Amino acid sequence: MPNRTLNFFRRNIGQLYALIICLVGFSLFAIYNQDAFLHYAASGWVWICVMSAAAVILTVFTFQLPPQGNGLSLDSSVYLACIFLFGPSFSLTVLLLSSLISFFLERNKVWWKQLNNFAIYSIMICTSSLTFAAFGGKEGPLLSHHLYAYAGSMAVYFILNTLLIGLYYYVVFHENLYETLKGMLRDTLLAYLSTLVLSLVLTILVSHNQFVGLALFLCLSVLLSYSFKQLFAMYRSIEERANRDQRTGLFNHSYFETALEEAMRKSKADGYALSLAMIDIDDFKKYNDHFGHLKGDGLIVFLAELLKKESKGTEIIVSRYGGEEFTLLLPAHDTVQAKQFIERLRRTLNRSPFEGVEIFPQGCLSFSAGIAGYKPDVHEKSELVEHADQALYYAKKQGKNLVHVYGNQSPLEREIDFSQDVRDIEQQLNLFMYKDLETFKHSKRVFQYALDISGLLNLDNLTKRQFTLGALIHDIGKLEIPWGILNKKDKLAPEEWEMVKWHVTWGKKMAMTNEKFKDLAPYIELHHERYDGRGYPYGFKGEEIPRLCRMLTIIDSFDAMTTERAYQPTKSIAEAIVELRACAGSQFDPQLTEFFINYIESRAFPSEDTATQMSLQGSSLTH
């Protein structure tokens, strides 16, 4: 589906949903209420007016429920009681009259929303009436031996109400349907059940006490509505405090983690841009040590107020990440737009007067910032945070008071950094020299393969760095495996094999301890995942595994097959190619497998045409 058509569909899906609800609701109203107006006596119309007035009064006392924007009034108890006492036509007539009164009382409310609300009530009333009749329910006073009919009718009413609201949030706001429904049931079940029980109370009171019973019911319902209103106001207040940093009033770290996960899910599903910025106040420790913690806290609050002001009226989520660090989650912002926004913030802060700025090297308030853009192959939220954190680290390293986008170093800086990173990793791999020389040599060969492949795939410099360094360090976790298991010549026992499988997790933890190598963690952790989902440690399948991790799996396996090892026979290149093809689609990505095989064949039989073909094939591979 073209993007323009898709975006149009997303913008209008709410109206489409409302139209469908209206068509169904008005159709059911017409079927159940045809010619009903002609059959009521004067006393019937009196009761219709009285019940309609009661419904309108309860509508006035609507209280807000989770999720945000969902409201509940106890008027449903009136409509259900009308079903039990007088039948569906009577209940629908009460609904029509009360809706007309509400329309004139609430003229500022959008008209189509009022029609949609009427249609939803019509659907629930008609379906509940049908259920009540199906279970043998009789109109009139409450009959204790027909309680299952009342229970069935109320259950259907409640289920429909919950589903229709949940579906609205699903189609309009792209919320997770299961999580939305679960949240509604957890947070609002008591209020819904009270409405249902009150319908039975009203049935009994009207049957035995007529208008006096209705008046008593209204008093009880109004008090209950007010109590629920206070309860949910307190609930929202507690929820707000739980999500806010007490000192700055910004969202806290915990809320940021949840918001980031949700924003990444929506970005992946809808294809919208998403960027994350991390901000750190420059030389904050120096200011804190000079003026004391109280003044330091004042500086944190000052920046927080600036962030609030500049992001007001936008979808940007500003959080205090910890200490003097802040995060800005920028939906619908690519890295270029995000950098423009953060640069504007930085310049505004530079120009802002504040006590004691003369002690700063810059002579003004400043921050350093790192920005990372979300991509579909970013596997976990921690990866995006790490990317932004590394960009922030780079901005600090370049002299502070800078905004840096992850991966935007100059070519010379990248080359220098890359060479240093290779030396740093090789120093760690030297530990294999005494423990397992073959693993050291294997890592070096896989690194060389990765260098060649990254050139053929036309990777950008940042991706090339991650892929090749990830290939070099991918088996670092084997340092944690006992020497006896690592060098065992016989077949491993099941418990020994389980220990070997842990090397991907241990390796990831080792990489995460070094700020420079955190972004290599996916290559270490996921290079034993299989295309068919039968790998470890997670059992990811297909494109759930990042593309270059799938390539690393092929390289790693090929080198293992063609290298002499004590625990397996060595294959020739031709035999290894046959094995790769045999496992394409199960263990390996089929497209990347053929690409790698072409590369291996081009090394064995080099020609200019083959090299050109490989380069073209690499540029056309699906990302």
Side-chain angles (χ1 to χ4, degrees):
M1 186 181 293
N3 286 336
R4 185 176 297 178
T5 306
L6 185 61
N7 291 334
F8 176 82
F9 177 74
R10 285 169 178 156
R11 286 196 301 270
N12 293 276
I13 193 169
Q15 287 86 336
L16 178 63
Y17 178 78
L19 178 62
I20 293 171
I21 291 296
C22 285
L23 289 175
V24 174
F26 282 108
S27 299
L28 288 173
F29 181 88
I31 293 170
Y32 272 82
N33 211 37
Q34 51 186 342
D35 301 328
F37 297 107
L38 305 176
H39 298 300
Y40 297 122
S43 59
W45 279 107
V46 169
W47 272 109
I48 287 172
C49 292
V50 170
M51 287 295 200
S52 299
V56 171
I57 291 171
L58 294 179
T59 304
V60 172
F61 289 91
T62 298
F63 47 91
Q64 296 301 309
L65 298 175
Q68 187 67 30
N70 178 27
L72 178 69
S73 62
L74 300 181
D75 58 335
S76 287
S77 57
V78 175
Y79 303 130
L80 279 168
C82 288
I83 293 172
F84 302 150
L85 287 166
F86 307 112
S89 294
F90 185 95
S91 185
L92 289 169
T93 305
V94 170
L95 171 65
L96 177 63
L97 184 56
S98 62
S99 298
L100 289 172
I101 296 171
S102 296
F103 177 79
F104 286 105
L105 292 177
E106 301 176 351
R107 293 186 181 180
N108 58 331
K109 194 172 181 180
V110 182
W111 64 270
W112 67 264
K113 288 187 177 180
Q114 292 187 331
L115 287 179
N116 191 244
N117 201 42
F118 175 83
I120 289 174
Y121 273 107
S122 297
I123 293 170
M124 294 189 298
I125 289 172
C126 293
T127 312
S128 296
S129 301
L130 186 63
T131 305
F132 185 64
F135 279 97
K138 303 294 182 183
E139 298 167 11
L142 190 142
L143 302 174
S144 57
H145 58 282
H146 279 169
L147 283 178
Y148 52 85
Y150 299 103
S153 180
M154 291 187 295
V156 168
Y157 192 94
F158 168 68
I159 291 169
L160 271 176
N161 192 1
T162 305
L163 278 176
L164 290 172
I165 294 172
L167 281 170
Y168 175 78
Y169 281 88
Y170 172 71
V171 300
V172 176
F173 300 110
H174 307 292
E175 300 286 349
N176 182 287
L177 182 59
Y178 172 75
E179 291 298 327
T180 301
L181 293 176
K182 187 172 74 171
M184 289 173 63
L185 290 174
R186 182 185 65 244
D187 299 328
T188 65
L189 184 60
L190 178 63
Y192 281 120
L193 289 179
S194 298
T195 304
L196 301 176
V197 172
L198 280 173
S199 66
L200 297 180
V201 172
L202 179 57
T203 302
I204 295 170
L205 288 174
V206 169
S207 299
H208 292 87
N209 302 97
Q210 303 289 306
F211 296 110
V212 175
L214 178 60
L216 289 173
F217 166 80
L218 277 177
C219 291
L220 174 65
S221 299
V222 168
L223 290 173
L224 197 58
S225 294
Y226 180 77
S227 299
F228 276 127
K229 186 174 183 178
Q230 295 296 103
L231 173 67
F232 284 107
M234 183 174 65
Y235 171 90
R236 286 193 300 275
S237 175
I238 293 171
E239 184 180 48
E240 181 74 7
R241 284 200 297 270
N243 290 331
R244 295 282 178 179
D245 174 61
Q246 296 302 306
R247 185 168 302 282
T248 63
L250 299 175
F251 289 115
N252 56 26
H253 189 123
S254 177
Y255 181 85
F256 161 72
E257 294 279 347
T258 304
L260 175 59
E261 192 168 10
E262 179 64 16
M264 287 174 61
R265 185 188 66 79
K266 287 185 177 180
S267 180
K268 187 173 185 177
D270 300 335
Y272 296 139
L274 173 68
S275 293
L276 169 65
M278 296 191 75
I279 285 176
D280 185 270
I281 301 174
D282 291 330
D283 300 296
F284 178 75
K285 186 176 184 304
K286 184 175 183 179
Y287 187 89
N288 224 12
D289 291 343
H290 191 277
F291 291 102
H293 291 288
L294 192 61
K295 288 286 187 181
D297 289 345
L299 175 53
I300 290 172
V301 172
F302 182 81
L303 177 56
E305 291 299 323
L306 175 66
L307 295 176
K308 281 185 206 172
K309 178 183 176 183
E310 295 298 321
S311 61
K312 188 176 181 181
T314 71
E315 295 182 0
I316 297 172
I317 299 173
V318 185
S319 308
R320 186 181 180 191
Y321 193 71
E324 69 275 19
E325 281 191 319
F326 301 85
T327 59
L328 289 88
L329 199 55
L330 300 103
H333 287 66
D334 59 26
T335 53
V336 174
Q337 295 167 318
K339 185 175 182 182
Q340 290 172 348
F341 180 81
I342 302 299
E343 282 284 12
R344 189 165 65 249
L345 275 176
R346 185 186 62 80
R347 289 192 294 270
T348 301
L349 183 66
N350 291 165
R351 295 192 298 266
S352 300
F354 196 79
E355 182 183 354
V357 295
E358 62 276 359
I359 74 160
F360 290 120
Q362 308 278 356
C364 63
L365 291 181
S366 68
F367 63 68
S368 298
I371 297 172
Y374 172 73
K375 297 178 182 178
D377 61 354
V378 173
H379 209 68
E380 297 177 352
K381 61 185 178 184
S382 60
E383 291 181 52
L384 191 62
V385 173
E386 288 302 328
H387 291 172
D389 193 41
Q390 287 182 29
L392 171 60
Y393 172 79
Y394 187 86
K396 290 280 189 184
K397 194 170 68 171
Q398 298 306 305
K400 305 177 183 177
N401 197 23
L402 291 170
V403 180
H404 180 68
V405 177
Y406 180 70
N408 278 10
Q409 297 104 311
S410 70
L412 178 59
E413 289 169 328
R414 277 194 293 265
E415 194 62 39
I416 294 171
D417 288 346
F418 179 73
S419 300
Q420 183 60 49
D421 290 342
V422 171
R423 286 193 293 271
D424 290 345
I425 291 175
E426 285 181 333
Q427 284 182 358
Q428 297 190 47
L429 292 179
N430 283 337
L431 295 171
F432 280 118
M433 296 289 280
Y434 80 91
K435 190 169 188 177
D436 182 17
L437 183 59
E438 283 307 317
T439 297
F440 175 83
K441 291 159 70 175
H442 165 71
S443 298
K444 296 283 285 183
R445 287 191 300 270
V446 170
F447 170 67
Q448 191 59 55
Y449 283 132
L451 273 176
D452 292 348
I453 292 293
S454 63
L456 294 170
L457 287 174
N458 298 316
L459 301 179
D460 62 78
N461 286 308
L462 173 64
T463 308
K464 176 183 176 180
R465 172 196 175 273
Q466 293 172 338
F467 178 46
T468 53
L469 293 180
L472 184 59
I473 202 175
H474 75 283
D475 270 341
I476 192 71
K478 287 186 176 179
L479 286 171
E480 296 294 314
I481 300 174
W483 187 93
I485 295 177
L486 203 56
N487 292 274
K488 187 174 180 180
K489 296 186 178 359
D490 300 326
K491 184 178 179 181
L492 295 177
E495 63 274 12
E496 292 172 331
W497 174 237
E498 286 301 317
M499 179 173 286
V500 169
K501 287 163 66 173
W502 271 94
H503 80 278
V504 296
T505 303
W506 294 330
K508 176 190 176 183
K509 289 181 178 178
M510 293 166 73
M512 295 296 285
T513 61
N514 191 320
E515 195 71 33
K516 292 169 65 177
F517 302 134
K518 287 181 177 180
D519 57 341
L520 308 182
Y523 297 96
I524 301 170
E525 188 178 31
L526 304 178
H527 73 275
H528 280 293
E529 295 288 357
R530 290 171 52 110
Y531 196 72
D532 59 8
R534 295 168 58 195
Y536 63 88
Y538 299 115
F540 291 149
K541 184 178 181 180
E543 294 191 4
E544 289 179 338
I545 311 164
R547 171 174 171 257
L548 291 177
C549 291
R550 284 177 264 148
M551 177 58 86
L552 180 56
T553 302
I554 298 167
I555 296 172
D556 183 47
S557 299
F558 176 81
D559 186 73
M561 285 188 283
T562 55
T563 303
E564 185 175 345
R565 297 197 176 193
Y567 53 82
Q568 69 177 30
T570 305
K571 296 182 186 297
S572 67
I573 289 178
E575 289 172 333
I577 288 174
V578 171
E579 183 71 15
L580 287 177
R581 284 204 170 106
C583 295
S586 56
Q587 185 175 357
F588 308 124
D589 181 315
Q591 190 180 20
L592 293 177
T593 299
E594 281 305 314
F595 179 84
F596 182 75
I597 289 171
N598 288 337
Y599 155 71
I600 291 298
E601 291 176 340
S602 72
R603 278 167 50 109
F605 310 103
S607 72
E608 186 178 342
D609 291 341
T610 306
T612 303
Q613 182 181 357
M614 284 293 300
S615 181
L616 291 172
Q617 185 182 355
S619 64
S620 64
L621 279 175
T622 304
H623 285 254

mmCIF file of all heavy atoms in Angstrom, residues 191-205:
data_model
loop_
_atom_site.group_PDB
_atom_site.id
_atom_site.type_symbol
_atom_site.label_atom_id
_atom_site.label_comp_id
_atom_site.label_asym_id
_atom_site.label_seq_id
_atom_site.Cartn_x
_atom_site.Cartn_y
_atom_site.Cartn_z
ATOM 1 N N ALA A 191 -16.303 0.132 39.140
ATOM 2 C CA ALA A 191 -17.284 1.140 38.701
ATOM 3 C C ALA A 191 -18.309 0.524 37.751
ATOM 4 O O ALA A 191 -19.519 0.799 37.855
ATOM 5 C CB ALA A 191 -16.564 2.296 38.014
ATOM 6 N N TYR A 192 -17.853 -0.327 36.829
ATOM 7 C CA TYR A 192 -18.780 -0.971 35.903
ATOM 8 C C TYR A 192 -19.741 -1.901 36.637
ATOM 9 O O TYR A 192 -20.945 -1.918 36.363
ATOM 10 C CB TYR A 192 -18.001 -1.762 34.844
ATOM 11 C CG TYR A 192 -17.436 -0.921 33.728
ATOM 12 C CD1 TYR A 192 -16.068 -0.888 33.490
ATOM 13 C CD2 TYR A 192 -18.261 -0.156 32.914
ATOM 14 C CE1 TYR A 192 -15.538 -0.126 32.459
ATOM 15 C CE2 TYR A 192 -17.737 0.610 31.884
ATOM 16 C CZ TYR A 192 -16.380 0.624 31.662
ATOM 17 O OH TYR A 192 -15.857 1.385 30.643
ATOM 18 N N LEU A 193 -19.205 -2.694 37.560
ATOM 19 C CA LEU A 193 -20.063 -3.622 38.306
ATOM 20 C C LEU A 193 -21.095 -2.875 39.142
ATOM 21 O O LEU A 193 -22.241 -3.327 39.286
ATOM 22 C CB LEU A 193 -19.201 -4.518 39.205
ATOM 23 C CG LEU A 193 -18.348 -5.574 38.486
ATOM 24 C CD1 LEU A 193 -17.533 -6.370 39.490
ATOM 25 C CD2 LEU A 193 -19.234 -6.512 37.660
ATOM 26 N N SER A 194 -20.704 -1.734 39.698
ATOM 27 C CA SER A 194 -21.657 -0.924 40.473
ATOM 28 C C SER A 194 -22.831 -0.489 39.603
ATOM 29 O O SER A 194 -23.993 -0.495 40.037
ATOM 30 C CB SER A 194 -20.954 0.309 41.053
ATOM 31 O OG SER A 194 -19.926 -0.079 41.927
ATOM 32 N N THR A 195 -22.533 -0.107 38.350
ATOM 33 C CA THR A 195 -23.595 0.292 37.423
ATOM 34 C C THR A 195 -24.572 -0.850 37.180
ATOM 35 O O THR A 195 -25.794 -0.658 37.172
ATOM 36 C CB THR A 195 -22.976 0.734 36.085
ATOM 37 O OG1 THR A 195 -22.042 1.767 36.314
ATOM 38 C CG2 THR A 195 -24.039 1.224 35.124
ATOM 39 N N LEU A 196 -24.028 -2.040 36.983
ATOM 40 C CA LEU A 196 -24.873 -3.191 36.696
ATOM 41 C C LEU A 196 -25.744 -3.558 37.897
ATOM 42 O O LEU A 196 -26.948 -3.825 37.751
ATOM 43 C CB LEU A 196 -24.001 -4.385 36.295
ATOM 44 C CG LEU A 196 -23.099 -4.175 35.066
ATOM 45 C CD1 LEU A 196 -22.211 -5.394 34.836
ATOM 46 C CD2 LEU A 196 -23.932 -3.893 33.817
ATOM 47 N N VAL A 197 -25.161 -3.559 39.077
ATOM 48 C CA VAL A 197 -25.925 -3.896 40.287
ATOM 49 C C VAL A 197 -27.001 -2.845 40.546
ATOM 50 O O VAL A 197 -28.127 -3.169 40.959
ATOM 51 C CB VAL A 197 -24.970 -4.031 41.494
ATOM 52 C CG1 VAL A 197 -25.753 -4.190 42.784
ATOM 53 C CG2 VAL A 197 -24.033 -5.218 41.301
ATOM 54 N N LEU A 198 -26.679 -1.588 40.285
ATOM 55 C CA LEU A 198 -27.652 -0.518 40.499
ATOM 56 C C LEU A 198 -28.889 -0.688 39.608
ATOM 57 O O LEU A 198 -29.996 -0.253 39.978
ATOM 58 C CB LEU A 198 -27.013 0.842 40.236
ATOM 59 C CG LEU A 198 -26.157 1.414 41.373
ATOM 60 C CD1 LEU A 198 -25.436 2.673 40.917
ATOM 61 C CD2 LEU A 198 -27.028 1.727 42.598
ATOM 62 N N SER A 199 -28.712 -1.305 38.436
ATOM 63 C CA SER A 199 -29.883 -1.528 37.573
ATOM 64 C C SER A 199 -30.881 -2.471 38.251
ATOM 65 O O SER A 199 -32.104 -2.287 38.115
ATOM 66 C CB SER A 199 -29.441 -2.104 36.223
ATOM 67 O OG SER A 199 -28.890 -3.402 36.380
ATOM 68 N N LEU A 200 -30.391 -3.465 38.983
ATOM 69 C CA LEU A 200 -31.283 -4.361 39.721
ATOM 70 C C LEU A 200 -31.926 -3.632 40.901
ATOM 71 O O LEU A 200 -33.110 -3.848 41.210
ATOM 72 C CB LEU A 200 -30.501 -5.587 40.220
ATOM 73 C CG LEU A 200 -29.894 -6.493 39.142
ATOM 74 C CD1 LEU A 200 -29.157 -7.658 39.784
ATOM 75 C CD2 LEU A 200 -30.977 -7.008 38.207
ATOM 76 N N VAL A 201 -31.132 -2.766 41.554
ATOM 77 C CA VAL A 201 -31.671 -1.975 42.667
ATOM 78 C C VAL A 201 -32.815 -1.085 42.180
ATOM 79 O O VAL A 201 -33.885 -0.997 42.816
ATOM 80 C CB VAL A 201 -30.556 -1.123 43.307
ATOM 81 C CG1 VAL A 201 -31.140 -0.149 44.343
ATOM 82 C CG2 VAL A 201 -29.513 -2.017 43.954
ATOM 83 N N LEU A 202 -32.598 -0.423 41.027
ATOM 84 C CA LEU A 202 -33.645 0.446 40.475
ATOM 85 C C LEU A 202 -34.878 -0.367 40.083
ATOM 86 O O LEU A 202 -36.017 0.080 40.293
ATOM 87 C CB LEU A 202 -33.092 1.197 39.256
ATOM 88 C CG LEU A 202 -34.081 2.138 38.546
ATOM 89 C CD1 LEU A 202 -34.637 3.187 39.507
ATOM 90 C CD2 LEU A 202 -33.403 2.819 37.358
ATOM 91 N N THR A 203 -34.671 -1.557 39.526
ATOM 92 C CA THR A 203 -35.804 -2.425 39.165
ATOM 93 C C THR A 203 -36.659 -2.735 40.381
ATOM 94 O O THR A 203 -37.910 -2.647 40.341
ATOM 95 C CB THR A 203 -35.281 -3.733 38.543
ATOM 96 O OG1 THR A 203 -34.478 -3.426 37.405
ATOM 97 C CG2 THR A 203 -36.432 -4.634 38.117
ATOM 98 N N ILE A 204 -36.023 -3.074 41.484
ATOM 99 C CA ILE A 204 -36.760 -3.407 42.712
ATOM 100 C C ILE A 204 -37.448 -2.179 43.284
ATOM 101 O O ILE A 204 -38.639 -2.219 43.658
ATOM 102 C CB ILE A 204 -35.793 -4.016 43.755
ATOM 103 C CG1 ILE A 204 -35.236 -5.351 43.249
ATOM 104 C CG2 ILE A 204 -36.480 -4.200 45.097
ATOM 105 C CD1 ILE A 204 -34.112 -5.904 44.082
ATOM 106 N N LEU A 205 -36.734 -1.043 43.349
ATOM 107 C CA LEU A 205 -37.311 0.171 43.949
ATOM 108 C C LEU A 205 -38.505 0.696 43.162
ATOM 109 O O LEU A 205 -39.528 1.091 43.734
ATOM 110 C CB LEU A 205 -36.226 1.252 44.047
ATOM 111 C CG LEU A 205 -35.141 1.033 45.115
ATOM 112 C CD1 LEU A 205 -34.059 2.094 44.993
ATOM 113 C CD2 LEU A 205 -35.766 1.088 46.519
#
